[in-house]
Amino acid sequence: MNGPANGCRGEAPGAAWATVRFGAPSARAGEAVLFASVSWCSGEGSGLLVVRLSARSPGFDGHPSRGSRDDVHLWADPDTRDGARVAAYADVLVTRERLRRPAARRRAARLLACHAGCLVAVVPVGGASCAVAVRDGEPALLPAPESLPPHTVASLAHAWLARGGSPGALRLTGGAAVRRAVPRRSG
């Protein structure tokens, strides 16, 4: 998760409040296109990414309804000190360790099983995808551009589901850092 393209300087914080705002859908080359902004704030800093999404099924746009309000949720990495402290309260759990596909799916499902209040768990897979487990659903692989860190994928999946989107219709097609994480100043 390091590097300037992922919207962070260094690694993402162990836990943060995230806000996802979907833009208005538009048609482009016969495909529904949607933009979303994902911002987060923690004691360590804040950041913002803009992401392009697309719906998979023709004739069904699968997008959350227009006029949807922002989705605000807590995400946590239970493998970090800060994340472990709030994992029991988190809406989204996301880990940093990249695993092979079967192990990532199992880990995502296990995270959900151990945290009853969590809607989405995400574990990065080698390459450009994440294993995503959703409450009352089977863990699946979600292709994601390398420019999107797993915590952004997790926040988008949560907001998508919370607004009534179909898990199978979510497609992440691009992302760009608008503002990299800004460290908090002490004192």
Side-chain angles (χ1 to χ4, degrees), residues 96-105 123-131 141-144 146 150:
R96 299 166 200 250
E97 181 183 6
R98 291 192 179 278
L99 300 175
R100 292 179 181 244
R101 288 179 182 172
R105 286 181 178 163
V123 177
V125 177
S129 64
C130 292
L141 288 179
L142 178 60
E146 289 187 37

Side-chain angles (χ1 to χ4, degrees), residues 39-111:
S39 60
W40 65 95
C41 181
S42 75
E44 299 172 36
S46 61
L48 174 68
L49 284 170
V50 173
V51 182
R52 190 178 74 200
L53 306 95
S54 67
R56 177 176 63 166
S57 306
F60 169 70
D61 74 356
H63 296 305
S65 61
R66 287 184 181 193
S68 294
R69 295 188 175 155
D70 297 349
D71 177 64
V72 178
H73 57 271
L74 176 64
W75 60 258
D77 179 347
D79 298 333
T80 65
R81 190 183 77 217
D82 289 342
R85 284 197 299 238
V86 298
Y89 312 105
D91 306 296
V92 174
L93 294 172
V94 58
T95 65
R96 299 166 200 250
E97 181 183 6
R98 291 192 179 278
L99 300 175
R100 292 179 181 244
R101 288 179 182 172
R105 286 181 178 163
R106 284 192 304 271
R107 176 88 197 276
R110 211 169 31 248
L111 285 170

